[in-house]
Amino acid sequence: MNFSFDTILHNLPYLLGAAKWTILISLAGMAISIVLGVFICAARISKSDLLSRGAAVYISFFRGVPLLVQLLMFFYMLPHIGLDLPAILAAILSVGLCSAAYTAEILRGALQTIPAGQTEAAHALGMPPLSLWRRILVPQALRLGMPSLINELILLVKVSSLASVVGIGELTRVAQNITGQTYRPLEIYLAAAALYFVINFAIAQLGRLAERRLQLR
């Protein structure tokens, strides 16, 4: 069977259209991950035994259960509790909740590298805990954890393909559909792989740019 560039060119618009859902799931999931990860991290290092153990259980569960199982569980569980969300929202939430466990640990590791004197000085000046986290701890933790957070986002782009199991037409699902119609798996999956590479390469480059700018501050 001869390799056909025409097959790629003909189906490229469909793959590009599907790639937007891959990007949406990844970016929205990462946004949820960072916001929720900050609170989980704060609970994990809290002096409250209840909060710390609750955060530890959350992290252990979402890191210990495969994302595919979480996605299916989340998608089919919500209607039973009266939340009939669209599949795309269910996928974004499940990805974000899972990633938050990893983000919380990334931030916790970054916080451990911040000199304790900064927190002590803030307490001595009477700075409220919320201001301490908003002005000192979170910005530095995000800067120090930036490389790991970029890696987490790249991972989300790759695992977003799991959303195909709930019927979302993201890049992998559309590639599978096109392959079933054209019987040209080599060309279609090579094109899909190239698009994944371009997306992740762009994220990596933007991440490096963000790191350099943050280091200059």
Side-chain angles (χ1 to χ4, degrees):
M1 183 171 60
N2 296 328
F3 189 86
S4 174
F5 283 104
D6 289 339
T7 300
I8 295 177
L9 294 175
H10 177 73
N11 291 286
L12 188 58
Y14 303 108
L15 294 173
L16 289 172
K20 71 180 181 182
W21 295 111
T22 294
I23 296 172
L24 174 63
I25 294 171
S26 305
L27 293 180
M30 192 65 195
I32 293 173
S33 172
I34 291 176
V35 174
L36 186 57
V38 169
F39 289 99
I40 297 171
C41 174
R44 184 72 180 87
I45 64 177
S46 170
K47 294 180 180 180
S48 169
D49 189 57
L50 179 62
L51 290 177
S52 181
R53 289 191 177 185
V57 170
Y58 181 99
I59 292 170
S60 296
F61 175 81
F62 282 97
R63 292 203 305 178
V65 178
L67 179 56
L68 177 59
V69 176
Q70 295 177 33
L71 177 59
L72 292 171
M73 181 181 67
F74 198 74
F75 180 73
Y76 290 110
M77 179 183 68
L78 288 178
H80 288 283
I81 59 175
L83 294 175
D84 191 12
L85 296 179
I88 184 66
L89 290 182
I92 289 172
L93 285 174
S94 61
V95 167
L97 291 173
C98 178
S99 179
Y102 295 90
T103 297
E105 289 295 272
I106 290 171
L107 295 177
R108 186 166 72 96
L111 287 175
Q112 291 176 346
T113 66
I114 299 176
Q118 294 188 23
T119 302
E120 294 171 358
H123 288 317
L125 292 172
M127 180 177 289
L130 183 60
S131 296
L132 170 64
W133 276 86
R134 182 171 58 88
R135 295 185 175 184
I136 298 177
L137 298 181
V138 172
Q140 290 191 76
L142 291 175
R143 178 173 59 84
L144 294 170
M146 182 64 69
S148 297
L149 293 174
I150 294 299
N151 288 337
E152 179 66 16
L153 178 55
I154 290 174
L155 179 62
L156 290 189
V157 171
K158 293 188 286 187
V159 301
S160 66
S161 61
L162 296 176
S164 62
V165 300
V166 293
I168 298 174
E170 47 71 57
L171 186 53
T172 298
R173 177 63 177 265
V174 170
Q176 291 173 333
N177 293 341
I178 295 174
T179 297
Q181 295 170 2
T182 62
Y183 299 100
R184 308 290 299 194
L186 177 60
E187 293 89 339
I188 299 304
Y189 286 127
L190 277 177
L195 288 176
Y196 275 116
F197 173 78
V198 169
I199 293 170
N200 284 330
F201 182 78
I203 291 173
Q205 295 305 311
L206 291 174
R208 292 192 182 96
L209 179 61
E211 285 181 56
R212 287 196 294 268
R213 291 195 173 185
L214 288 173
Q215 288 173 357
L216 295 176
R217 293 186 177 183

